[in-house]
Each structure stands twice: as structure tokens, then as C-alpha cells.
Amino acid sequence: MPKLSIIVPVYNAEKSLPICLDSLLSQTMTDINFWLVNDGSTDNSLEVCQQYANIDSRFHVINQKNAGAGKARDNGIYQCDGDFIGFVDADDWIETDMFEKMYDAAIRNDCDVVRCNVVMHRNGKVRERWNPPFCNQVLDKTRIEQEFIPLLIAPESEKDFDHRLLRGCYCYIFLKDTVVNNHIHFTDFRSGEDVIFSIEMLLNSKRMFVLPNTFYHYMIYNTDTLSKSIKAINDPQRQKTRAFMTKLLKDTSGYPIVVERWKQEDRRVVYLDIRIAAVYAQGLSSIKRLKLIRNVLVSDESRRAFKDKIDRSLPLQMYMLYLLIKWKCALLLLLAVKYKLRKA
């Protein structure tokens, strides 16, 4: 039985897949295997996966009908045989010593979960994401609930929102027995399913360790994503995800902190809805964009998010934009957001 199994959900990733799989092939940890779950790809992804399985017996290929990344990961979890499990997305890549260092940290500190840092690549720019202040420390269940999980929602200070932790499941390794014994699965939500999985795993873990090392390279190839689609504005999926997370967290010692952090997240989400309407609503006239912004401003989500006073310690530009949202100044927001992003 290997010490670690890595699960890679694959869907139409033939162009990026070789870079990802080469980074797995070059791992310094040897007692490891890789489970490539082809999620009904219509390109040559399955053939690429099979090529690597032919090269190295540690690669295993699972082929399934298209069911989404969550189902693909679940399929991998319940077929793999490692003591610990980890995830890598098919369009990302990792440093060669990532899993050796993470597994070593798990065993040395007797932890169910280990997390590393992430660097994001987007439009030729590289940005290392912020790590929490308790790197190289063991967190027990209380600290996981009261310190770590709230940081996945938002940082302590709203002015640092852009530096919050990335929330996906790809920068962790998890003890597999914790997953199986607690019947933890990925949801079928369109987005956020990996966040929910990570939080559920953390809540069922006794101890975790956070490494400061930047091991995972998160690649953003397509900037015209769902987050910039009109369909994402006031998406009911958000309420569904929040309800699920509330059910998970409401009885934990950190829940009051999480509720306060959600207020930050809600304000940023409303701003992003306005940004989509103002800038990314392709093919719409200014009048229709203005109507979309007005609909956002009068929504229950906006009313709740901007009920409290705006934090004066926010960067001036964001503070002014938040005031315009609170005052429901649709036309000024349309002009201000377009100008802000044109300069960015």
C-alpha cells in the first residue's frame, strides 16, 4: 500500500495535461501513486493519460462518463489505496518535492491534514498567495475551528481581503481514513464543491500542519470564466453553498467568527456582481448594464451586505466604491467601475 495517492480529475485538458503529469512523474517521493480520472473528455485527454500509465506503473487511469470534477475526485478517492490523498488539477503543476515534504510533515507532526502555499499564474503575471501567520505550527481542533477556517472565509481585516487564503482542495493532503470513516463526499454544486470538501475534512481532523513552502502552481488560462458571466450575478447557487456551509459550521466554536467574516465576503461578492454588469456583460448596452446594476443594488443580498458601516481603513478606492453601493448610486458605479478596471 502506497503512502500517498494523488487524484487528478481530467476534462478536455490535453494541452496542459503533459505539464501537470510531468510534474507528478518527477516527484522525489517514490512511495506514491497517481489516479487520473477522465471525466468524459471529448479531446485526446484519455490518450494522454494512458501514455503516462504505459510509462510508469504508478499512474492509474479511470474512465467515467462526464459528471463533473467533484464526482471524478470521489471516484478517485474510493478506488485509490494510499494512506493519505491529495489532489492536483489537470491544468496546474507542482514542485518536485511537494508531496515528499507534505507527507513528511504529516508523519513528523502526527497530523490528519497538511497544507502548503500556492502561486497563481495569470496573463503572464505571477502572484504568491498569502500564508497564515501560524506556519510551521500544529493546530489542534480548536485552533482549526477558531483560527484557520475563518481565514478561508476572509482575513481578519477587510482591507486585506485580496490576500485571503485560496480555498480549494488542491493545496492539502488528507488522511484517507478520515474521508472514508466520516463518509465525506464532494457535492454536486457547480462551484465551491472543493471548498466545502476541505472544510468538512478540516472539521473532522484532529490536527493540521501548515507549511510555508510555495509548492502548488495554480494556472489561469481562460480569464473569460463563469465568474464574468451575467449568469453569475446573484446566482442562487451562492445561497445554496452558504446554507450547506452554515449547516457544517453552526455548532463549531469558530462559528461566530465565521459569521462576521461572511459579511466581508458578501460585500465583495456584491461588488463583483456590479463589476460583471459594468464591464463583462458582453453585448449589452449601457442602459441594460445600468439596469443590471440597479437590480443588484436592491437585492436582499446587497441590503444585508451593506447594512453595517463601511470600514474606513479600506483602501480609498474600495471605500468609495462601497459607499456608492451602500447609497445605491447605479450610474456612478457604472462609470467608476469601468474606469477603475480600464486603468488596472
Side-chain angles (χ1 to χ4, degrees):
M1 180 180 293
K3 296 174 180 176
L4 181 61
S5 291
I6 305 305
I7 297 153
V8 184
V10 178
Y11 179 72
N12 288 353
E14 64 173 318
K15 292 182 180 178
S16 60
L17 195 52
I19 297 173
C20 172
L21 300 187
D22 281 344
S23 73
L24 299 182
L25 191 63
S26 64
Q27 287 298 294
T28 55
M29 183 177 185
T30 56
D31 198 359
I32 187 173
N33 60 19
F34 312 104
W35 297 75
L36 315 179
V37 187
N38 179 54
D39 184 35
S41 297
T42 58
D43 64 0
N44 293 318
S45 292
L46 179 58
E47 288 77 3
V48 174
C49 291
Q50 196 58 58
Q51 287 170 13
Y52 280 80
N54 294 337
I55 293 170
D56 192 317
S57 61
R58 294 177 301 168
F59 285 85
H60 304 271
V61 180
I62 302 171
N63 194 31
Q64 67 176 40
K65 293 181 179 179
N66 180 246
K71 293 292 186 184
R73 293 188 186 108
D74 273 344
N75 202 350
I77 290 170
Y78 288 92
Q79 292 199 46
C80 74
D81 52 359
D83 295 329
F84 280 78
I85 59 171
F87 303 96
V88 175
D89 285 351
D91 48 2
D92 300 335
W93 60 279
I94 59 174
E95 296 290 335
T96 56
D97 57 346
M98 173 173 172
F99 290 121
E100 180 182 12
K101 294 286 178 61
M102 294 184 76
Y103 180 81
D104 178 66
I107 299 304
R108 182 165 29 89
N109 296 286
D110 188 25
C111 289
D112 309 66
V113 180
V114 176
R115 177 188 168 107
C116 69
N117 204 7
V118 179
V119 62
M120 297 182 69
H121 300 255
R122 181 174 187 171
N123 295 333
K125 297 180 181 178
V126 178
R127 179 185 176 191
E128 187 171 321
R129 290 303 294 252
W130 176 74
N131 244 335
F134 35 76
C135 286
N136 289 322
Q137 297 179 30
V138 175
L139 305 185
D140 62 14
K141 192 171 183 64
T142 299
R143 292 191 69 190
I144 290 171
E145 291 183 5
Q146 295 182 359
E147 297 180 45
F148 189 79
I149 289 177
L151 281 177
L152 293 176
I153 307 300
E156 187 174 354
S157 173
E158 189 163 9
K159 66 183 175 61
D160 296 324
F161 191 89
D162 285 340
H163 300 290
R164 72 174 180 178
L165 295 177
L166 285 176
R167 303 194 284 180
C169 62
Y170 39 75
C171 48
Y172 298 89
I173 62 169
F174 303 101
L175 185 66
K176 186 183 176 184
D177 281 351
T178 305
V179 184
V180 175
N181 294 342
N182 291 283
H183 310 288
I184 299 172
H185 296 272
F186 284 85
T187 70
D188 58 359
F189 294 171
R190 290 195 308 273
S191 62
E193 80 288 341
D194 54 343
V195 181
I196 289 172
F197 178 89
S198 298
I199 289 176
E200 196 165 1
M201 275 298 304
L202 289 165
L203 291 174
N204 284 282
S205 297
K206 296 179 180 132
R207 292 154 61 92
M208 80 171 293
F209 193 83
V210 181
L211 285 169
N213 309 69
T214 303
F215 286 135
Y216 194 97
H217 293 262
Y218 185 89
M219 311 298 292
I220 303 176
Y221 294 105
N222 180 12
T223 58
D224 187 24
T225 61
L226 177 64
S227 63
K228 293 181 180 177
S229 163
I230 298 175
K231 294 179 182 178
I233 295 177
N234 201 18
D235 186 355
Q237 183 74 61
R238 296 202 296 247
Q239 284 71 46
K240 190 175 180 181
T241 301
R242 176 66 57 82
F244 197 101
M245 290 176 69
T246 299
K247 184 178 179 180
L248 287 176
L249 295 168
K250 66 179 181 179
D251 294 325
T252 67
S253 60
Y255 184 64
I257 306 170
V258 166
V259 170
E260 286 301 310
R261 302 285 174 88
W262 269 334
K263 293 178 182 178
Q264 281 190 49
E265 184 179 49
D266 290 345
R267 285 188 283 272
R268 184 52 61 99
V269 164
V270 170
Y271 163 69
L272 291 176
D273 278 354
I274 291 169
R275 174 169 147 167
I276 292 169
V279 180
Y280 298 110
Q282 300 295 330
L284 293 188
S285 66
S286 294
I287 292 175
K288 289 184 177 180
R289 291 171 192 252
L290 191 60
K291 184 177 179 180
L292 278 175
I293 292 173
R294 285 175 175 150
N295 288 340
V296 172
L297 294 176
V298 299
S299 67
D300 289 341
E301 193 170 32
S302 180
R303 177 181 52 78
R304 288 193 303 269
F306 288 90
K307 182 173 63 174
D308 298 337
K309 285 185 177 180
I310 308 302
D311 184 358
R312 287 185 173 273
S313 70
L314 286 170
L316 180 61
Q317 191 177 60
M318 185 55 68
Y319 176 72
M320 296 304 298
L321 286 169
Y322 276 11
L323 282 181
L324 292 177
I325 296 172
K326 187 177 180 68
W327 296 338
K328 297 182 172 50
C329 301
L331 181 57
L332 287 176
L333 278 165
L334 175 64
L335 298 173
V337 173
K338 289 180 73 172
Y339 175 74
K340 176 181 183 291
L341 292 187
R342 191 180 297 118
K343 287 187 67 178

